[in-house]
Amino acid sequence: MAASQSGLANQAILDKIDQLRDLNIKSIELPQLVVLGDQSSGKSSVLESLTGFSFPQAPGLCTRYATQISCRREPEEYIAVSIIPRQGADAETENRLRAFKRNISKLTSDALVQIIQDVNKIMGIRMTANDTDPSLCTFSNDTLKIEICGPEQEHFTVIDVPGIFRVPSPPFTTDHDVDLVCNMVDFYIQNSRTIILAVLPSNVDITTQEILKMAEKADPGGVRTMGVLTKPDLVTEVATRKAITDLVLGKGKQLRLGYCIVKNRSADDVHSTLSERLAHEKAFFDKPAWREIEGLRRCGIGSLKTRLSDLLTNITKKEFPHVKADIKKQLEQRRRELESMGPSRTEHSAQRMYLGRLGSKFQAVTQCALNGYCDSEALFTEVPSLKLITAITRMNERFANTFWERRHKRHTSSDWDDEDEAAHDLVENDDYTSTQDLLLSYPELHDIVETDSYECLEAEAFTDDSIMDHIEKVYQLNRGPELGTFSGSILSATFREQTEKWEPLVLAHVSRSIGLVHDYISKLLTCICPDKQVQNQLWETVLVDELRKAYARAMEQARFLLRIERQGRPSTYNHYFNSEVQKKRQYRMEKIIEAESYADSQSENLVPVSSLYNGVINKENAQQIREDILDVLTSYYKVSRKRFVDNVCRQVIGHFLLEGDESPLKIFSSELVMGLEDNQLELIAGEDTETRNQRSKLEADIRDLEAAMKVLRV
């Protein structure tokens, strides 16, 4: 009873695999037996012996397509013939081919010839060299399905593919047909769940058989290939018979499934029954020459069919769960791909909705990118360069540090770096270099940004005659009638000269920031919009022009801030300025006192009044003015620098590039989409032929995979 139940379970699984095969889902590898061999290898005779189905031998009726032959146990005896259309056939062709059905209770030679002729006609097969219609073909990728049913049949399915041939016979066969057949055979044997039945004539050198080389290429370990040796009655040489015997015995280069040997019926034997042929075969292998291998259950068609039936059942049971998992996985993948394409976009309303969703997705991801919420979107893990605020913050910090250490032309004292604030260490990295390369990747930015790399050099070293000599020169060229003071133009001139590095440093930093933002927008659009046509049209026809305007506004704001700080009259209402001036004067007094002090007998520091008089009171007017100019310049520079760096980072980068209402990151939004004209929508989001074909293919795949899942659930 248990064995019977097991047999029924096996039968049910094999039936499901056959039903899946009828769906012809090429992307799903199904367990199957595939028979292949060269023309005249005896392949047709082997198939006939295995299935009881005899292909007609009339001219023009040899195998021109894959043929699936299924034997099934049914109460009534009949043969059903149908066609499984090739994958990718248009709807009209598929319906026409699937409509072909032939059911016959008894198969006669004349009936079979008529059926094959009808099949060839509906498939568009050229049957003779006189068929010159260019729409006809010699071989087809459609599959002929033959079901042989009866009470004595056992479940057995095998797939026959056209015989390999190497030399075309124009005009009937061409080089294209040679390649087509090779590709067809290769398609079937590449399937990792296929058992390859390589039919090889015994009377030729096995090592020269191309079909065995093809099988070895598809199955390098030989784990799913079985050799079937035919025509042993044509082997007359003892050495050749010994080589054949050694193969069956498992000697020499061996396939994991080994070799079987069968005897074909002779070319003149056209009337014997299957049982008579089996008897003749058994008598042949009982002869002394073959008796050594006769008891190995590898001789004769009966042994071969038993082994193949067991192999097919075992591989089907083993692979069935994996087949089911593959179908489920591919169905989910196809659904995701179709969902990512959005709804069909033939109407303007659908086009607007599609773009609107893209815009909303763009803004949602961008808010996460600006707020640093990188755990909320998988995109940030897949494309780390989308972490925009991280890159911008790192660049701003480096910009501020560079501005602190190198932004001035001359140090204004020998201990400039120790003036109240500690200089930040400049971390040397490739951020600037890689960001500069981004600018070169986007030619649409070249007339807006500074594409030349700018490296801010160290300030000139302080010497006694450097900054003071410069101040003296400016003072002498610009002095007025003031007594004990100096004009604002002198401070402006010295400040402008001291800040001459600011412009290239700021413009280079803003340009690099624009490069980061532009690259972010481009990459994010690529990630959320898989349709290349939509992506390219949206970028070229709408976004680039608007983005250029936003970047130009940011660059103009940077230049505006430079003009205010460097070209305008020095001005501040920050009390920090006066505090710095007083500190400079106090510092200068402390230096004088320190230089003139001495220790008395009680180890107390004393300063002679005369020294104070000479150092503080008895100064030349010009020297006092120069020192005052230096103190004011140094103090105002510190105030201006702090204010300027914050303004650049907050206004130009923060407002104009990141978060302002006219930021480039705000351009692609649902509001932009709502303002597009119908012709713009059609140009950007209308589906081209390739997209429509892709959508149709995905929908067809989903239908087939859903049908496959339904088969598995029954």
Side-chain angles (χ1 to χ4, degrees):
M1 183 67 177
S4 176
Q5 289 178 346
S6 175
L8 290 174
N10 294 340
Q11 176 78 25
I13 292 177
L14 292 170
D15 284 342
K16 287 181 184 292
I17 293 298
D18 281 347
Q19 291 177 57
L20 293 177
R21 192 174 289 111
D22 290 348
L23 296 174
N24 199 27
I25 306 174
K26 298 295 186 183
S27 58
I28 298 297
E29 294 186 342
L30 298 175
Q32 57 192 8
L33 293 173
V34 173
V35 181
L36 61 151
D38 289 347
Q39 289 182 350
S40 303
S41 63
K43 180 166 64 75
S44 296
S45 179
V46 171
L47 280 170
E48 180 184 353
S49 298
L50 287 172
T51 65
F53 182 84
S54 176
F55 282 95
Q57 303 299 313
L61 296 183
C62 60
T63 306
R64 302 298 174 82
Y65 29 77
T67 303
Q68 174 187 320
I69 308 173
S70 297
C71 301
R72 291 211 317 271
R73 181 172 296 175
E74 297 285 352
E76 296 183 7
E77 185 173 333
Y78 68 93
I79 294 177
V81 181
S82 58
I83 298 174
I84 303 174
R86 59 188 162 304
Q87 192 178 42
D90 59 80
E92 180 183 352
T93 301
E94 181 171 356
N95 292 335
R96 177 170 53 83
L97 293 177
R98 288 199 180 276
F100 179 85
K101 306 285 184 183
R102 296 289 188 275
N103 288 322
I104 52 178
S105 57
K106 187 175 181 180
L107 189 64
T108 63
S109 177
D110 292 340
L112 181 58
V113 169
Q114 184 60 52
I115 288 174
I116 297 300
Q117 286 178 340
D118 292 343
V119 168
N120 288 351
K121 183 177 181 180
I122 199 169
M123 283 191 186
I125 298 295
R126 180 184 297 110
M127 289 181 282
T128 68
N130 296 326
D131 294 330
T132 57
D133 187 341
S135 65
L136 299 178
C137 56
T138 307
F139 294 90
S140 172
N141 281 315
D142 301 317
T143 302
L144 175 63
K145 178 183 178 184
I146 300 172
E147 297 175 275
I148 305 172
C149 304
E152 303 299 323
Q153 293 288 348
E154 294 184 7
H155 196 293
F156 185 79
T157 297
V158 65
I159 296 174
D160 176 35
V161 292
I164 297 293
F165 66 100
R166 301 162 190 78
V167 181
S169 303
F172 195 62
T173 58
T174 64
D175 289 330
H176 171 74
D177 295 322
V178 174
D179 295 336
L180 189 149
V181 171
C182 286
N183 291 337
M184 188 187 304
V185 171
D186 193 57
F187 168 78
Y188 278 99
I189 65 177
Q190 287 294 335
N191 179 352
S192 62
R193 294 167 181 149
T194 290
I195 295 175
I196 303 171
L197 209 60
V199 179
L200 306 162
S202 300
N203 59 334
V204 299
D205 186 357
I206 299 298
T207 60
T208 65
Q209 293 298 289
E210 183 177 351
I211 202 68
L212 199 59
K213 294 178 181 178
M214 291 182 68
E216 185 177 5
K217 184 179 179 181
D219 177 30
V223 297
R224 53 186 181 86
T225 302
M226 176 185 289
V228 178
L229 303 171
T230 62
K231 305 181 181 181
D233 51 319
L234 300 183
V235 177
T236 56
E237 297 180 357
V238 175
T240 303
R241 188 164 54 244
K242 177 67 167 59
I244 295 300
T245 302
D246 287 344
L247 283 176
V248 177
L249 291 173
K251 299 177 182 179
K253 188 176 181 180
Q254 187 63 23
L255 301 173
R256 186 74 61 87
L257 300 180
Y259 287 84
C260 288
I261 186 168
V262 298
K263 178 183 177 299
N264 305 71
R265 66 174 178 176
S266 66
D268 298 330
D269 183 6
V270 294
H271 300 295
S272 63
T273 64
L274 181 59
S275 59
E276 289 173 340
R277 290 200 294 273
L278 291 176
H280 292 159
E281 183 182 54
K282 185 177 186 311
F284 175 80
F285 286 118
D286 280 340
K287 293 179 180 178
W290 302 101
R291 195 167 294 165
E292 183 181 6
I293 61 174
E294 197 277 333
L296 296 177
R297 296 190 60 192
R298 289 185 175 271
C299 292
I301 201 68
S303 297
L304 175 62
K305 186 171 183 178
T306 299
R307 286 182 59 80
L308 291 179
S309 182
D310 290 343
L311 281 173
L312 181 61
T313 300
N314 291 338
I315 193 173
T316 301
K317 289 170 61 178
K318 175 185 175 183
E319 295 294 336
F320 189 77
H322 303 296
V323 170
K324 189 173 182 178
D326 286 351
I327 293 174
K328 183 177 180 181
K329 180 180 178 180
Q330 290 200 24
L331 179 57
E332 292 173 350
Q333 180 181 342
R334 297 295 191 278
R335 284 172 173 169
R336 285 196 301 269
E337 291 175 3
L338 184 61
E339 183 180 359
S340 69
M341 294 183 70
S344 177
R345 305 191 302 274
T346 55
E347 301 293 332
H348 291 154
S349 58
Q351 295 163 2
R352 200 179 299 275
M353 182 179 296
Y354 174 74
L355 291 179
R357 287 176 177 171
L358 287 181
S360 297
K361 177 66 173 178
F362 184 94
Q363 291 303 318
V365 175
T366 297
Q367 283 305 306
C368 294
L370 291 178
N371 293 324
Y373 301 154
C374 298
D375 292 336
S376 58
E377 285 284 349
L379 280 177
F380 295 112
T381 302
E382 298 167 5
V383 188
S385 58
L386 291 179
K387 298 178 180 180
L388 180 61
I389 198 63
T390 302
I392 290 291
T393 301
R394 186 166 57 242
M395 280 190 60
N396 279 342
E397 287 177 345
R398 181 179 172 89
F399 168 70
N401 292 347
T402 303
F403 223 82
W404 167 249
E405 287 196 349
R406 302 178 183 177
R407 80 288 181 188
H408 46 279
K409 183 173 183 180
R410 295 185 177 92
H411 291 321
T412 54
S413 69
S414 59
D415 50 0
W416 173 273
D417 291 336
D418 296 325
E419 294 179 7
D420 299 333
E421 300 177 25
H424 300 283
D425 291 333
L426 278 176
V427 180
E428 297 298 333
N429 54 42
D430 293 332
D431 284 357
Y432 271 22
T433 302
S434 60
T435 311
Q436 197 71 34
D437 291 340
L438 283 180
L439 295 174
L440 301 177
S441 303
Y442 297 103
E444 62 267 24
L445 303 180
H446 290 179
D447 61 335
I448 297 175
V449 301
E450 299 292 332
T451 56
D452 294 333
S453 179
Y454 176 71
E455 186 66 29
C456 187
L457 302 177
E458 293 282 359
E460 295 178 8
F462 175 82
T463 60
D464 291 339
D465 59 353
S466 58
I467 187 67
M468 294 304 288
D469 286 349
H470 175 68
I471 290 175
E472 172 68 18
K473 181 179 179 181
V474 173
Y475 174 68
Q476 293 299 337
L477 291 174
N478 296 278
R479 67 183 298 181
E482 301 89 359
L483 291 177
T485 181
F486 56 92
S487 69
S489 62
I490 294 175
L491 179 60
S492 296
T494 53
F495 181 77
R496 192 177 303 117
E497 195 265 353
Q498 184 72 337
T499 60
E500 66 180 26
K501 293 184 186 178
W502 284 21
E503 181 168 346
L505 185 61
V506 168
L507 295 182
H509 174 61
V510 175
S511 295
R512 292 182 181 115
S513 300
I514 288 174
L516 279 178
V517 171
H518 197 64
D519 186 62
Y520 167 85
I521 295 172
S522 175
K523 285 182 177 176
L524 179 55
L525 186 62
T526 300
C527 291
I528 66 174
C529 180
D531 192 318
K532 294 294 184 183
Q533 187 261 347
V534 174
Q535 184 187 127
N536 293 335
Q537 289 297 331
L538 180 61
W539 182 259
E540 296 293 340
T541 63
V542 177
L543 293 184
V544 167
D545 287 343
E546 295 301 319
L547 290 173
R548 281 170 49 83
K549 293 175 185 177
Y551 301 144
R553 286 193 294 269
M555 292 297 289
E556 179 53 36
Q557 181 66 12
R559 293 187 173 94
F560 170 76
L561 293 177
L562 284 165
R563 288 196 299 272
I564 293 296
E565 291 292 344
R566 298 191 65 240
Q567 305 301 326
R569 179 180 299 174
S571 174
T572 182
Y573 298 97
N574 192 333
H575 71 278
Y576 177 75
F577 167 72
N578 186 60
S579 175
E580 282 296 303
V581 172
Q582 299 305 320
K583 285 182 182 179
K584 298 299 179 189
R585 290 172 178 172
Q586 180 183 347
Y587 176 76
R588 198 178 300 282
M589 176 64 73
E590 289 173 352
K591 287 293 185 182
I592 294 173
I593 293 173
E594 182 181 341
E596 298 297 332
S597 66
Y598 66 92
D600 63 0
S601 58
Q602 297 179 355
S603 299
E604 293 185 1
N605 288 336
L606 302 177
V607 180
V609 174
S610 58
S611 297
L612 290 177
Y613 180 85
N614 292 331
V616 177
I617 301 174
N618 192 21
K619 268 188 183 178
E620 293 183 1
N621 184 55
Q623 181 183 357
Q624 183 64 53
I625 295 297
R626 289 196 300 270
E627 290 177 355
D628 286 346
I629 293 173
L630 179 59
D631 292 343
V632 172
L633 171 64
T634 304
S635 301
Y636 181 73
Y637 187 95
K638 292 181 71 174
V639 172
S640 176
R641 174 185 60 80
K642 293 180 178 182
R643 175 178 65 200
F644 183 68
V645 169
D646 278 350
N647 284 342
V648 169
C649 293
R650 285 176 56 81
Q651 293 184 31
V652 181
I653 309 300
H655 180 77
F656 279 86
L657 287 182
L658 301 183
E659 297 179 344
D661 291 340
E662 294 184 317
S663 157
L665 298 176
K666 300 286 182 67
I667 291 174
F668 183 35
S669 63
S670 55
E671 288 79 6
L672 172 75
V673 175
M674 294 303 295
L676 294 175
E677 301 291 340
D678 288 348
N679 60 334
Q680 290 178 298
L681 285 172
E682 184 65 37
L683 178 63
I684 296 170
E687 291 185 338
D688 57 13
T689 302
E690 181 180 352
T691 303
R692 287 195 295 270
N693 291 341
Q694 182 184 4
R695 184 185 299 280
S696 297
K697 184 179 183 305
L698 286 173
E699 290 172 344
D701 287 349
I702 290 172
R703 284 195 301 271
D704 290 342
L705 291 166
E706 287 176 341
M709 289 299 296
K710 185 176 180 181
V711 167
L712 296 174
R713 286 193 293 265
V714 173

